[in-house]
């Protein structure tokens, strides 16, 4: 197969942490052609999606005493070519959030790809429609108490009711802008004003789950099925568990409750073509559905001896049969 990965510029990526690199390594290992591109390299010509693609060869990371190790020159690029994306077998949209206007334009270009020739992961229409924070609201039976608002009075009432709450910018990722709110905090008004840009942008405010101290579980879903999970535990004085802000990772089993959550979200994920997704679960509650470029593969692989990248590529092969 000819597999295209739309990624952020490759040079700064960390091959020992990056889930997309793990998928690219798996594709190479399974003898597929691995091509990369970035959002700016997409075009529409004669109503079809084209991209300047660059072939890439990777030196796979290796496991050394429980840590991934990469060589310094871990990738080599070939000659770029302008290619009609309908001539490729799969396109994996794997750029990091935030969802910006260029990101949305990219999904609109990818919309033109013919599903009969090329599988696009995740489905571009659904990437346009699904906000990572708001998508969880589709599953009211498994989420904590949550409001979305830009109105200070509405937010303050909710915080007063809850005592403690967590505020989340709707476009955030990796813990960015996540705030702990407490009724009576001297900064509460100001925190709400800054986060909502003085009442102009809605934010999510959620019941504070004390179980967050024991970890934020990332569950990787492939075509609606859980294929692995990793716990991210806050360290130091930060209440956030995200790896990007220093959360410690640990192996974690799926509980009955986690499986119920997976079963609850699975039908809609499948219907929406959200094939590769990361669920965030705190204390048995679904808090986020990461659809743009979820991570966790490297951590799950090393902690649990798995090869999730290989599972993704095997699944792609099955779709193309
Ligand atoms: N309802 C909650 N109660 C307590 N902590 C939370 C809650 N929601 C999120 N957190 C903490 O904030 C972090 C980031 O939240 P999340 O909703 O996953 O946003 P993102 O990962 O996109 O920044 C989580 O890892 C968790 O530690
Ligand atoms: Mg998260």
């Amino acid at each position: 197969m000819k597999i295209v990965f739309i990624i952020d510029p490759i040079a700064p990526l960390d091959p020992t942490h990056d889930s997309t690199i793990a998928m690219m390594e798996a594709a190479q290992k399974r003898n597929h052609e691995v091509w990369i591109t970035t959002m700016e390299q997409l075009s529409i010509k004669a109503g079809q999606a084209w991209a300047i693609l660059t072939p890439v060869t990777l030196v796979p990371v290796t496991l050394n005493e429980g840590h991934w190790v990469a060589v310094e020159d871990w990738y080599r690029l070939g000659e770029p070519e302008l290619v009609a994306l309908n001539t490729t077998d799969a396109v994996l949209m794997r750029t990091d959030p935030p969802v910006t206007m260029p990101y949305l334009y990219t999904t609109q270009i990818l919309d033109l790809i013919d599903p009969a020739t090329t599988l696009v992961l995740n489905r571009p229409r659904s990437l346009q429609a699904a906000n990572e924070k708001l998508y969880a609201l589709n599953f009211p039976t498994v989420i904590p108490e949550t409001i979305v608002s830009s109105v200070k009075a509405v937010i303050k009432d909710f915080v007063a009711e809850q005592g403690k709450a967590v505020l989340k910018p709707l476009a955030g990722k990796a813990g960015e802008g996540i705030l702990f709110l407490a009724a009576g905090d001297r900064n509460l008004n100001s925190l709400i004003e800054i986060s909502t840009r003085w009442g102009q942008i809605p934010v999510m405010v959620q019941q504070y789950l004390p179980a967050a101290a024991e970890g934020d579980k990332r569950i990787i879903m492939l075509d609606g099925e859980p294929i692995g999970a990793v716990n991210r535990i806050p360290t130091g004085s930060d209440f956030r568990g995200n790896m990007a802000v220093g959360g410690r990772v640990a192996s974690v089993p799926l509980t009955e409750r986690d499986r119920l959550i997976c079963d609850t979200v699975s039908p809609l994920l499948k219907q929406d073509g959200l094939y590769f997704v990361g669920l965030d679960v705190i204390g048995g509650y679904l808090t986020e559905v990461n659809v743009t470029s979820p991570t966790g593969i490297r951590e799950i692989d090393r902690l649990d001896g798995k090869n999730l990248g290989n599972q993704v590529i095997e699944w792609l092969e099955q779709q193309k049969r």
Side-chain angles (χ1 to χ4, degrees):
M1 290 199 295
K2 186 164 182 169
I3 307 180
V4 178
F5 294 84
I6 305 174
I7 60 174
D8 294 309
I10 190 166
L13 296 182
D14 175 1
T16 68
H17 173 65
D18 195 279
S19 293
T20 310
I21 306 296
M23 294 181 202
M24 285 164 46
E25 282 178 10
Q28 174 177 290
K29 181 106 191 277
R30 297 181 72 82
N31 294 315
H32 299 299
E33 288 175 42
V34 179
W35 296 75
I36 57 173
T37 189
T38 56
M39 294 198 291
E40 313 79 59
Q41 300 186 82
L42 272 69
S43 304
I44 300 175
K45 295 204 307 168
Q48 293 202 347
W50 291 68
I52 298 171
L53 303 182
T54 304
V56 60
T57 313
L58 301 159
V59 181
V61 296
T62 52
L63 207 51
N64 183 15
E65 292 178 6
H67 292 280
W68 292 118
V69 182
V71 297
E72 202 179 324
D73 293 319
W74 56 273
Y75 69 91
R76 207 174 50 238
L77 301 177
E79 280 303 306
E81 274 175 41
L82 182 61
V83 176
L85 290 174
N86 281 344
T87 65
T88 70
D89 296 286
V91 174
L92 283 74
M93 176 62 180
R94 292 285 305 168
T95 60
D96 261 351
V99 173
T100 55
M101 284 313 290
Y103 183 96
L104 289 174
Y105 296 143
T106 297
T107 63
Q108 284 159 344
I109 296 175
L110 297 180
D111 253 347
L112 299 171
I113 293 176
D114 183 358
T117 59
T118 312
L119 184 119
V120 185
L121 175 159
N122 284 323
R123 185 179 297 158
R125 277 291 155 97
S126 299
L127 289 176
Q128 289 156 22
N131 172 276
E132 304 194 298
K133 299 288 182 306
L134 296 179
Y135 196 82
L137 300 177
N138 287 309
F139 314 103
T141 59
V142 294
I143 60 168
E145 273 195 65
T146 303
I147 61 163
V148 176
S149 183
S150 52
V151 181
K152 189 193 272 176
V154 171
I155 296 174
K156 286 186 77 173
D157 278 355
F158 182 78
V159 176
E161 222 172 85
Q162 295 294 327
K164 298 171 179 174
V166 174
L167 181 150
K168 311 180 185 192
L170 297 180
K173 57 130 203 316
E176 289 162 10
I178 304 271
L179 297 172
F180 175 82
L181 301 183
D185 183 336
R186 286 186 291 180
N187 280 320
L188 185 59
N189 284 318
S190 204
L191 291 174
I192 295 169
E193 288 159 11
I194 294 167
S195 303
T196 63
R197 301 271 164 84
W198 288 266
Q200 292 187 82
I201 302 176
V203 293
M204 175 171 279
V205 187
Q206 199 160 63
Q207 166 191 10
Y208 174 74
L209 300 165
E214 278 101 67
D216 176 7
K217 193 182 292 189
R218 164 58 53 86
I219 304 174
I220 298 286
M221 304 284 283
L222 177 61
D223 201 15
E225 292 293 323
I227 57 170
V230 61
N231 204 15
R232 294 157 303 168
I233 304 154
T235 54
S237 60
D238 203 315
F239 81 99
R240 300 166 301 171
N242 302 79
M243 292 186 265
V245 297
R248 174 171 71 79
V249 295
S251 176
V252 73
L254 281 189
T255 62
E256 280 298 305
R257 171 76 184 180
D258 296 334
R259 290 189 190 282
L260 171 84
I261 293 173
C262 295
D263 290 345
T264 305
V265 302
S266 176
L268 191 61
L269 291 182
K270 291 179 88 139
Q271 187 187 312
D272 286 346
L274 294 170
Y275 310 112
F276 188 81
V277 160
L279 307 181
D280 287 351
V281 174
I282 300 175
Y285 289 95
L286 177 68
T287 56
E288 194 185 15
V289 181
N290 295 274
V291 300
T292 54
S293 185
T295 191
I297 286 188
R298 288 295 198 206
E299 290 71 25
I300 294 168
D301 283 0
R302 77 175 161 81
L303 291 166
D304 293 346
K306 295 196 177 197
N307 190 340
L308 297 189
N310 191 62
Q311 276 179 252
V312 172
I313 303 301
E314 262 188 338
W315 177 82
L316 277 182
E317 289 167 6
Q318 284 160 16
Q319 305 313 300
K320 292 298 294 184
R321 259 185 221 134

